Amino acid sequence: MSLSNTTRRVSLFLLLIGLLAAWVWWATRTKPVEVAVTAVEKGTVEKTVANTRAGTVKACRRAKLSPSAGGQIAALPVREGESVKRGQLLLELWNKDLTAQLALTKQEATSAAATARARCIEADQARRESDRLQKLLARKLVSEEQLDRAVSSANAGDAACEAAQASAAVSQARVGVTEATLEKTRLIAPFDGVIAEINGELNEYVTPSPIGIPTPPAIDLIANHCFYLTAPIDEVDVAGISIGQTARVTLDAFGERRFRGSVRRIADYVLDVEKQARTVDVEVEFVDPADIEHLLAGYSADVEIILDVRKDTLRIPTEAVMDGDSVYVFVADQGLIERRQVKTGTANWDHTEIIEGLDEGDLVVTSVDREGLADGVDARREAAPAK
């Protein structure tokens, strides 16, 4: 075998060894971690609190009405969904006996009033006669006995007038009692609204609810021109809430649409419901009157109350913050990950304010749960998804 052939074989062998070593290095090397990043920017950061359970849209006025007396439904001039005015008749029980009784008591009151007027006219006549005899006695034209009889008659007439007037007042009061009894058989709308529900039909019998046993109302009346939201807020968060603070309301029925609101009331006590966090009910009113047209009582809702607003401040996505005081920064020119301590300020679910530790334009890692991510590891920027 020639020397040249041996050299050639050795060179080929060494080349194969080199290629194998290169392949092993390439296959076993630490691959850069692919990360999603966001640039530190300036913007608005709001500190907010939200409800712990779904809130409820309620009407400012809602009355579940039932007659205070039992009886048979004789008139039901309204239907579900109908708008009614204050003072309008909603339901009436059979009450012909009370109507007749009212007519009788009114006649009795009229008669008693006429009798009182007659007695008072007679008393006035007797008093004038007494005064006339008093003057005649001074001229010795009548006896004292005649005057005494006239004075007594006048006094008796005054007493009869007072008694008749008192009797007329009693008769008039009896009219009021009968009217009040008759009123128990009628349901009158206490405010403008819409009939939400009717429990009863003509000729059916209704009975008042026994004490401690609620029964469905005969008519459920809702004022559909005013609504508000009540939502439970965790007792830990409610301390920062005050009347008049701005709120954003979202309703399941309207998707992502947000309604403007304002805190109008904070409950004076904490709700302690079994197996649930202790909460305080907070009421929020809707600011834009145009929103009222689209609302229905009973809608489920969520509220976000704004406690503080920081404008034109450095901010990053809240998901990038770890343990409240550190972030991963992607150093693009070196292809490395650097863990950096930061000082944060106002924060919400979307953004966190950065006070110290980052500069505008720095790239922070938002995919902090990515496997292999650590301080000093090689990394590369995740490709943006195709639009």
Side-chain angles (χ1 to χ4, degrees):
M1 181 179 298
S2 66
L3 181 62
S4 59
N5 289 337
T6 302
T7 302
R8 191 179 302 113
R9 289 180 179 179
V10 170
S11 298
L12 181 60
F13 177 75
L14 292 176
L15 178 60
L16 291 175
I17 293 297
L19 290 174
L20 180 62
W23 179 84
V24 171
W25 172 85
W26 181 86
T28 59
R29 84 190 193 286
T30 302
K31 296 181 180 179
V33 179
E34 195 173 67
V35 293
V37 299
T38 297
V40 179
E41 63 178 2
K42 283 191 174 183
T44 299
V45 180
E46 299 172 337
K47 181 180 180 181
T48 62
V49 295
N51 50 298
T52 58
R53 299 187 304 278
T56 304
V57 174
K58 296 183 177 181
C60 296
R61 299 191 68 180
R62 181 172 187 171
K64 298 184 177 183
L65 307 170
S66 291
S68 56
Q72 185 181 31
I73 299 177
L76 192 58
V78 295
R79 62 182 184 276
E80 292 184 357
E82 180 179 347
S83 296
V84 297
K85 296 293 184 179
R86 179 181 179 182
Q88 184 175 335
L89 178 67
L90 306 179
L91 178 147
E92 186 172 22
L93 303 180
W94 185 88
N95 54 20
K96 289 184 178 180
D97 54 341
L98 295 176
T99 303
Q101 181 66 32
L102 178 61
L104 175 61
T105 54
K106 285 183 175 180
Q107 289 296 331
E108 290 177 343
T110 301
S111 176
T115 300
R117 287 196 299 273
R119 296 291 181 267
C120 291
I121 291 173
E122 293 173 355
D124 187 58
Q125 175 62 31
R127 179 60 58 191
R128 290 198 300 272
E129 179 65 18
S130 173
D131 293 342
R132 186 174 64 82
L133 291 179
Q134 185 74 32
K135 295 177 181 178
L136 292 177
L137 179 63
R139 297 166 57 187
K140 304 297 183 179
L141 297 176
V142 296
S143 65
E144 291 186 2
E145 182 179 357
Q146 289 176 305
L147 177 60
D148 289 340
R149 286 198 299 269
V151 171
S152 298
S153 178
N155 292 336
D158 290 340
C161 174
E162 292 177 4
Q165 289 177 330
S167 179
V170 170
S171 296
Q172 189 60 45
R174 189 174 291 112
V175 171
V177 172
T178 307
E179 287 177 338
T181 304
L182 183 62
E183 192 68 21
K184 291 182 179 181
T185 66
R186 295 171 178 158
L187 283 183
I188 305 297
F191 50 83
D192 295 351
V194 63
I195 304 298
E197 185 179 8
I198 298 176
N199 294 300
E201 297 290 344
L202 285 175
N203 300 319
E204 286 186 350
Y205 281 85
V206 296
T207 57
S209 298
I211 298 177
I213 304 177
T215 58
I219 291 180
D220 188 0
L221 178 64
I222 296 177
N224 58 347
H225 58 276
C226 176
F227 292 95
Y228 69 96
L229 165 69
T230 178
I233 304 295
D234 193 281
E235 61 176 344
V236 176
D237 298 327
V238 78
I241 301 175
S242 59
I243 304 299
Q245 284 179 332
T246 300
R248 287 190 291 262
V249 178
T250 56
L251 307 176
D252 292 344
F254 294 89
E256 296 299 321
R257 177 180 174 182
R258 291 186 172 184
F259 297 80
R260 294 189 301 124
S262 175
V263 177
R264 77 168 196 174
R265 177 180 175 270
I266 303 170
D268 299 319
Y269 59 92
V270 177
L271 288 175
D272 183 11
V273 182
E274 185 178 0
K275 298 182 180 180
Q276 294 182 2
R278 298 191 179 189
T279 59
V280 176
D281 280 346
V282 174
E283 294 180 2
V284 174
E285 61 185 354
F286 294 89
V287 174
D288 190 348
D291 293 337
I292 301 298
E293 301 175 5
H294 308 288
L295 299 181
L296 295 175
Y299 271 151
S300 62
D302 293 313
V303 62
E304 191 178 28
I305 300 173
I306 301 172
L307 306 182
D308 186 25
V309 178
R310 304 284 293 176
K311 295 183 177 180
D312 196 31
T313 185
L314 288 180
R315 68 179 189 180
I316 63 173
T318 298
E319 59 186 325
V321 181
M322 300 177 296
D323 303 325
D325 62 356
S326 65
V327 297
Y328 283 128
V329 177
F330 175 61
V331 184
D333 56 352
Q334 301 179 25
L336 295 174
I337 294 295
E338 176 187 341
R339 182 159 183 162
R340 192 177 299 177
Q341 296 296 120
V342 296
K343 182 178 180 181
T344 61
T346 300
N348 56 34
W349 289 105
D350 298 322
H351 295 97
T352 295
E353 179 188 17
I354 297 299
I355 299 176
E356 294 179 2
L358 293 173
D359 295 320
E360 187 176 2
D362 285 345
L363 300 178
V364 294
V365 177
T366 55
S367 55
V368 295
D369 57 347
R370 194 66 53 87
E371 184 178 357
L373 186 63
D375 185 28
V377 302
D378 294 333
R380 65 181 179 184
R381 188 169 183 171
E382 186 178 70
K387 293 184 179 180

